[in-house]
């Protein structure tokens, strides 16, 4: 491979991310890397602990050549839309040979087999899926049960192996990446590396490869940042220390709560325009917001067998940002329509020159005058983010140029 794409969040950048970049270059023999990165909000429905330009600096410091922003309409969606938006963006560039992602499994063949089953949707699978959905299970759980049932009877995969694969978040995202490549009939080759260290949701700093969740949890606890020295690359660690010394506002989920509560209490209809909040979930949210005093309390009151914590968190964050003002249900089903540059190094600059001849979508290094809904939503995200991070201006998208790393 000459150029490999990575789909990331870097919330924040840690040793596992550096390992990902290094192993990608080792396995694929690629010359350059292009990162598609979520912006100021992440797929879990949380604000990024540092802004998207700071995350871009971190990525460039650690060897990435070009950073593109994954529009928020995808980055704040389920794994399916997150993956489809990112893969369609990389596919449209015309210079990328493959994508490399981490997974708990570390085997691309099995992930591709599962993805192919989900694309083909055999009758046995569809009937089992319908049965589980009718029982009241949420879609992810129903899909996993139906998929497991089908593969046990129609492949060499065993139940315990499938249980492990389908319950782990990076495997799930990997399957969605493979699905998206199949849907696009893309020539990009998927490559996976085995994820090392702590699990995705582990909240304890207990390993060189501690999870991003554990690092964010440590940030929010008020404990010494020096405890992070061994789990974050040195350059990134020094950048974080500098931000701390400058009283940078590291935002947390709870900072959004009062804004969300105000919006729901003063405009009850707004929740009806959030696609994932239908089927009565909107009414449950409106009921519980009145007697909730924190975001976590609200989410726990709404959470059920059908509605996961992450889904509810995404819905509330979408409401905070203003997704209700955009036709996001249709927007997220369409391929990414532009590539917005957040930063690059000298190699990335060479890639940008190539894109003039190869890319099938516009490439923006500054905001265009065109009224593009998904780009307007990204601008809206920055405005909302500025409410919980005083270091970011509401107009930062207009004021901050792409980061040039030399």
């Amino acid at each position: 491979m000459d150029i490999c794409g990575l789909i990331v969040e870097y919330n924040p950048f840690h040793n596992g991310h550096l390992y990902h970049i290094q192993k990608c270059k080792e396995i694929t023999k690629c010359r350059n890397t292009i990162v598609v990165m979520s912006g100021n909000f992440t797929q879990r429905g949380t604000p990024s602990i540092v802004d998207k330009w700071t995350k871009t600096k971190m990525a460039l410091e650690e060897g990435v050549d070009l950073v593109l922003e994954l529009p928020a309409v995808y980055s704040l969606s389920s794994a399916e839309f997150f993956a489809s938006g990112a893969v369609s963006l990389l596919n449209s560039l015309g210079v990328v040979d493959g994508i490399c992602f981490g997974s708990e499994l570390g085997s691309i063949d099995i992930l591709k087999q599962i993805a192919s089953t989900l694309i083909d949707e055999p009758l046995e699978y569809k009937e089992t899926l319908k049965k589980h959905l009718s029982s009241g299970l949420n879609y992810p759980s129903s899909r996993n049960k139906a998929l497991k049932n089908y593969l046990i009877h129609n492949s060499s995969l065993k139940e315990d192996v499938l249980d492990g694969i389908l319950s782990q978040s990076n495997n799930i995202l990997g399957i969605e990446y493979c699905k998206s490549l199949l849907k696009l009939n893309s020539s990009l080759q998927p490559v996976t590396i085995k994820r090392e260290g702590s699990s995705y949701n582990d909240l304890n700093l207990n390993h060189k490869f501690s999870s991003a969740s554990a690092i964010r949890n440590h940030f929010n606890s008020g404990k010494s940042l020096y405890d992070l020295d061994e789990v974050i690359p040195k350059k990134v660690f020094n950048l974080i220390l500098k931000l701390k010394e400058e009283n940078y506002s590291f935002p947390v989920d709870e900072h959004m709560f009062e804004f969300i509560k105000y919006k729901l209490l003063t405009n009850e209809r707004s929740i009806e325009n959030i696609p994932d909040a239908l089927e009565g979930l909107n009414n449950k949210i409106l009921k519980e917001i009145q007697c909730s005093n924190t975001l976590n309390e609200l989410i726990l009151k709404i959470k059920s067998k059908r509605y996961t914590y992450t889904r509810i968190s995404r819905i509330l964050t979408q409401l905070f940002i203003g997704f209700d003002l955009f036709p996001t249900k249709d927007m997220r089903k369409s391929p990414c329509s532009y590539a917005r540059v957040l930063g690059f190094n000298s190699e990335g600059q060479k890639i940008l020159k190539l894109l003039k001849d190869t890319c099938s979508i516009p490439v923006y290094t500054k905001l265009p005058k065109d009224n593009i809904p998904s780009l307007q939503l990204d601008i809206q995200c920055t405005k909302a983010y500025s409410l919980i991070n005083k270091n970011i201006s509401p107009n930062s998208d207009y004021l901050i140029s792409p980061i040039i790393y030399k």
Side-chain angles (χ1 to χ4, degrees):
M1 286 186 190
D2 281 337
I3 301 177
C4 193
L6 311 177
I7 302 166
V8 302
E9 297 208 283
Y10 294 161
N11 186 33
F13 194 106
H14 56 66
N15 286 346
H17 297 134
L18 180 58
Y19 176 80
H20 179 203
I21 295 169
Q22 292 171 339
K23 289 297 287 186
C24 168
K25 292 179 178 179
E26 176 188 325
I27 293 170
T28 68
K29 309 298 182 185
C30 67
R31 178 168 43 87
N32 299 115
T33 52
I34 297 177
V35 153
V36 173
M37 183 184 75
S38 60
N40 289 325
F41 293 90
T42 69
Q43 202 255 341
R44 291 168 67 111
T46 61
S48 180
I49 200 166
V50 293
D51 64 89
K52 60 188 179 185
W53 295 282
T54 300
K55 291 197 294 184
T56 298
K57 289 178 186 176
M58 293 175 176
L60 295 172
E61 284 272 10
E62 298 300 340
V64 169
D65 297 306
L66 176 62
V67 180
L68 305 176
E69 181 174 6
L70 178 61
V73 69
Y74 308 114
S75 67
L76 261 168
S77 290
S78 65
E80 177 184 7
F81 296 119
F82 180 96
S84 64
V87 170
S88 70
L89 173 50
L90 286 170
N91 190 64
S92 296
L93 298 180
V95 296
V96 180
D97 300 297
I99 63 171
C100 179
F101 55 87
S103 66
E104 292 86 359
L105 180 64
S107 168
I108 195 63
D109 291 337
I110 295 176
L111 297 180
K112 286 168 68 175
Q113 180 183 4
I114 294 172
S116 180
T117 302
L118 291 170
I119 291 292
D120 296 339
E121 290 194 317
L123 181 60
E124 180 184 343
Y125 162 78
K126 286 198 291 187
E127 289 179 343
T128 311
L129 174 64
K130 185 177 180 181
K131 181 185 74 174
H132 288 304
L133 286 171
S134 299
S135 73
L137 274 182
N138 60 47
Y139 182 79
S141 297
S142 297
R143 189 183 78 164
N144 284 358
K145 285 180 176 291
L147 187 59
K148 186 171 69 171
N149 178 77
Y150 177 80
L151 290 172
I152 287 171
H153 292 97
N154 295 278
S155 76
S156 59
L157 296 172
K158 304 299 182 183
E159 183 173 3
D160 58 338
V161 174
L162 284 166
D163 281 336
I165 294 171
L166 299 176
S167 64
Q168 295 172 306
S169 54
N170 290 281
N171 288 337
I172 293 167
L173 256 181
I175 292 165
E176 293 298 338
Y177 294 144
C178 293
K179 274 179 58 185
S180 298
L181 290 169
L182 289 171
K183 285 182 179 179
L184 291 169
N185 194 26
S186 174
S187 63
L188 272 64
Q189 295 300 308
V191 175
T192 190
I193 61 174
K194 187 171 178 60
R195 192 178 186 279
E196 298 289 338
S198 302
S199 68
Y200 182 73
N201 291 312
D202 192 336
L203 295 180
N204 298 309
L205 290 178
N206 54 18
H207 200 282
K208 175 185 176 182
F209 294 113
S210 292
S211 70
S213 297
I215 295 169
R216 290 193 301 273
N217 185 57
H218 189 84
F219 262 95
N220 299 338
S221 70
K223 296 177 182 177
S224 172
L225 287 183
Y226 286 95
D227 294 337
L228 301 175
D229 187 26
E230 294 185 358
V231 300
I232 294 177
K234 192 64 178 178
K235 291 179 182 178
V236 174
F237 179 69
N238 289 337
L239 179 54
I240 289 174
L241 282 183
K242 186 171 183 291
L243 291 174
K244 182 70 173 177
E245 290 168 1
E246 295 171 350
N247 294 316
Y248 185 88
S249 299
F250 299 101
V252 296
D253 317 19
E254 289 295 341
H255 293 163
M256 300 187 292
F257 179 70
E258 294 299 329
F259 297 101
I260 294 168
K261 188 168 187 176
Y262 172 80
K263 188 167 185 176
L264 284 170
L265 293 180
T266 58
N267 183 11
E268 292 186 355
R269 298 295 299 273
S270 60
I271 192 69
E272 296 174 10
N273 294 322
I274 303 294
D276 294 332
L278 303 180
E279 303 173 352
L281 181 55
N282 55 325
N283 294 324
K284 178 68 172 174
I285 292 172
L286 288 170
K287 176 186 175 183
E288 298 299 348
I289 190 70
Q290 298 188 39
C291 53
S292 296
N293 296 306
T294 68
L295 188 62
N296 185 58
E297 179 187 357
L298 173 62
I299 296 173
L300 290 176
K301 285 180 178 178
I302 301 166
K303 181 179 177 291
S304 67
K305 182 171 67 172
R306 189 173 182 86
Y307 302 117
T308 64
Y309 190 102
T310 298
R311 176 176 173 178
I312 298 162
S313 181
R314 274 199 302 266
I315 288 169
L316 295 173
T317 300
Q318 289 170 358
L319 190 69
F320 167 70
I321 292 167
F323 272 49
D324 51 302
L325 305 174
F326 296 82
T328 55
K329 185 175 182 179
D330 294 327
M331 287 164 59
R332 67 189 184 183
K333 293 178 181 177
S334 301
C336 189
S337 61
Y338 61 89
R340 185 180 178 195
V341 179
L342 289 178
F344 54 88
N345 60 17
S346 59
E347 287 295 305
Q349 191 169 29
K350 293 176 185 177
I351 295 171
L352 287 173
K353 290 179 180 178
L354 289 176
L355 294 183
K356 293 177 181 178
D357 297 322
T358 64
C359 193
S360 61
I361 56 177
V363 178
Y364 298 129
T365 54
K366 62 179 181 179
L367 293 182
K369 295 180 180 179
D370 301 343
N371 183 20
I372 304 169
S374 57
L375 188 53
Q376 292 302 313
L377 180 54
D378 289 342
I379 295 168
Q380 181 84 358
C381 281
T382 299
K383 291 178 179 178
Y385 190 74
S386 73
L387 295 173
I388 55 175
N389 185 340
K390 66 178 178 61
N391 298 89
I392 295 300
S393 161
N395 296 317
S396 289
D397 285 301
Y398 296 95
L399 301 173
I400 302 178
S401 300
I403 308 299
I404 302 175
Y405 184 76
K406 297 180 180 179

